[in-house]
Amino acid sequence: MGAIVYHASLNEAQEDAALSRLLGREMQRAPFDRLDWYALLARECLDPARCFLAAARDGDERAVLPLRQTAPGTLEPLGNWYSFFTRARWTDHGAALLEGIARDLSRTHDQIVLSPLPEEDVAPLAAAFRKAGWLAFASPCDTNHILPVDGRSFAEYWAARPGRLRETVRRKGKKGVVDLRIATAFNDADWAAYETIYRLSWKPEEGSPAFLRRFAEAESAAGNLRLGIATIDGKPVAAQFWTVEGGTAFIHKLAHDESAKAHSPGTLLTAALFEHVIDRDHVREVDFGTGDDPYKRDWMESTRTRWQVAFYRPLAPRRWPAIAKALVRGGRT
């Protein structure tokens, strides 16, 4: 039997045992690659009717590209600002099935823009789409700050931090004004504290509080939640939402009450969470998501480029202006 290419709604995908396994916790080591992430994101943040999985199967092999339709003929990844990255997934020998997916999508669409992609995913996707007759243009789109732990203890990691950061933690921690706690199980009071602090912080309005709460509840049930709360005289003044999975600690959200800034509760809490995930969870890596914020350099030691890849059907006249601009910019793969 040859390869079979099909589209599955998220409800259909959840009833497909092979897809559910491929995109489940057993095989995926980051939340952004899982079917439960796509389903929750679609339900709380996007239009579920426009979200689907472009899939292919050949025997036991599978390949999946999570997508959403954003305009006539246009597809984007099934992700948003909560996603550290988006990408296709496939079984051990399933990468060859991507060409069939690309060819099938060309029957109904003429533009697909995928980002942010890990660099290692650009080449296989571009190759598959080129073979299916698409033009492919890749360009850097964001920066991902990470910490490779390399087997160090927290003390060894901390000794390599900038002196001013270490001194801030030493001085402010010595005063004993800020109390720190890290919860590994979800409870309503902690989450209410997180939401209150977020509203008092410098952060913009949260895009979907319901999404984050449901995600935190699910990660708590899986044993992955690390929710840090800092208080002064019993009042919550800083909060951070991390998860730990597959040897990586993911820093999803952090916020602090600006009125307590003089006591550096956010900095103290960050140090406590790094100590927790390094010495207790023994993670191999800490991932600070996308965004090249200067403060991240104090905590992290490496960066990775995230990429955008735009695919166009060359015989679609409405895409010619975009193709011309892409050719001028360069980056064709």
Side-chain angles (χ1 to χ4, degrees), residues 226-276:
R226 306 292 181 265
L227 184 65
I229 303 289
T231 61
I232 295 178
D233 295 331
K235 176 188 175 184
V237 291
Q240 298 188 16
F241 174 24
W242 296 32
T243 61
V244 172
E245 183 172 359
T248 297
F250 298 98
I251 306 176
H252 297 277
K253 288 286 182 178
L254 64 169
H256 64 260
D257 183 343
E258 287 289 293
S259 68
K261 189 174 181 179
H263 301 290
S264 303
T267 301
L268 293 173
L269 188 57
T270 302
L273 277 157
F274 268 91
E275 182 175 19
H276 188 106

Side-chain angles (χ1 to χ4, degrees), residues 115 118 143 163 203 208 270 279 300:
S115 72
T143 300
K203 299 284 187 175
S208 178
T270 302
D279 284 353
M300 317 306 272

Side-chain angles (χ1 to χ4, degrees), residues 11 25 40 133 217 286:
N11 287 337
R25 291 182 185 271
L40 183 60
E217 290 171 338
V286 182

Side-chain angles (χ1 to χ4, degrees), residues 307-319:
W307 290 78
Q308 174 182 285
V309 183
F311 301 107
Y312 302 104
R313 296 296 295 164
L315 299 182
R318 63 178 171 174
R319 304 304 178 195

